[in-house]
Amino acid sequence: FHPVVVTCAGDAPVGQYKDSFDVHWTQVYGATSFVASRIPRHRALMKPDWPLAAILHCYDRAQSGAEEFDPEKFQPDGRTMRSNAFMAIAKGSSCLSWWWWGQGGTTTATIARAPRAWADLKLVFADIQSLEPALIADGTVEMWVESPGEGKEVHVWEKRLADRALIIAVNRDPEPCELTITLKQTAGTKTARRLLEEGAAQIVDGKLQESFGPLGVHVYEVR
């Protein structure tokens, strides 16, 4: 009579308990590359098309338990929290949550004690909220990985809506890169307006050429 949520610390139990839950919360506390690899790994262990939600993290592992806490050195920083959140979306997460706020506690070095990092994460919240109508609308989604070089990955999410396409591209790696993205659902020559930042990119014959900063995120709208 109630929805059941299960979260497994390890990978194997996800498959063992796949018939017991209505949604699985996948723990992706770590680097953007970990978000990129673990969500598909868990999806492969679950029933087809079953809901999965990412739990990201907003506590500092290195500073937890330390005698002194430096909020200016808080990790994950804003760039990492942003890339982790958009990577989770690009891998098909049903929703997002963060571990661990911990207001009032001092045992764990949480973002509650790091004003600059908290302000950065609020910007991530606001940006995702601004995209929510398109994220939850009916449409056809394609997800794939482009490689700008050996051992490098940019993860792409493209959603075709009735009147436009929304494209999210996330650089998995902490090094900058340039690449050409071959889109799955957008053909021809068009202008891709950058959302959440200034400017636009050109799509030529269904291909979008772009530069990415370390852990860079680009979101585009194509009318």
Side-chain angles (χ1 to χ4, degrees):
F1 299 102
H2 303 283
V4 175
V5 176
V6 167
T7 180
C8 300
D11 291 338
V14 178
Q16 295 167 356
Y17 285 88
K18 65 182 179 181
D19 294 318
S20 72
F21 54 77
D22 297 292
V23 58
H24 186 267
W25 286 359
T26 288
Q27 300 173 24
V28 278
Y29 315 148
T32 305
S33 58
F34 183 56
V35 181
S37 63
R38 196 176 208 200
I39 291 178
R41 190 159 66 245
H42 281 193
R43 280 209 177 277
L45 295 168
M46 293 165 53
K47 292 186 288 189
D49 301 320
W50 213 248
L52 176 154
I55 316 177
L56 305 163
H57 79 297
C58 56
Y59 69 96
D60 191 319
R61 286 173 165 169
Q63 295 198 76
S64 290
E67 292 184 5
E68 296 184 5
F69 172 71
D70 186 347
E72 295 302 312
K73 295 181 179 178
F74 184 87
Q75 292 293 328
D77 59 11
R79 180 175 61 185
T80 302
M81 290 186 290
R82 184 179 192 81
S83 63
N84 283 0
F86 279 92
M87 181 63 79
I89 294 172
K91 306 316 289 184
S93 180
S94 302
C95 72
L96 303 175
S97 55
W98 277 261
W99 181 271
W100 144 270
W101 165 248
Q103 187 174 18
T106 57
T107 302
T108 302
T110 83
I111 202 168
R113 301 167 60 194
R116 180 180 297 181
W118 175 238
D120 289 341
L121 186 53
K122 286 201 296 183
L123 288 175
V124 176
F125 294 162
D127 284 345
I128 292 174
Q129 189 174 35
S130 73
L131 300 172
E132 185 176 7
L135 292 174
I136 67 174
D138 291 337
T140 304
V141 174
E142 296 276 357
M143 296 179 285
W144 71 98
V145 180
E146 299 273 2
S147 178
E150 185 176 355
K152 306 298 181 184
E153 293 182 0
V154 171
H155 292 244
V156 187
W157 179 96
E158 181 185 11
K159 185 171 188 177
R160 181 70 184 177
L161 303 165
D163 60 344
R164 64 193 187 280
L166 185 69
I167 302 162
I168 297 172
V170 185
N171 180 9
R172 181 199 67 175
D173 303 299
E175 298 83 28
C177 68
E178 295 185 4
L179 83 159
T180 299
I181 300 171
T182 301
L183 299 171
K184 305 290 188 182
Q185 303 186 89
T186 304
T189 298
K190 297 179 174 65
T191 297
R193 182 169 70 94
R194 292 192 182 100
L195 305 180
L196 315 180
E197 57 183 328
E198 297 295 328
Q202 293 302 311
I203 299 171
V204 179
D205 295 332
K207 299 180 185 297
L208 189 158
Q209 188 168 357
E210 186 59 279
S211 298
F212 290 81
L215 302 178
V217 175
H218 290 302
V219 181
Y220 311 93
E221 180 184 71
V222 184
R223 289 283 175 175

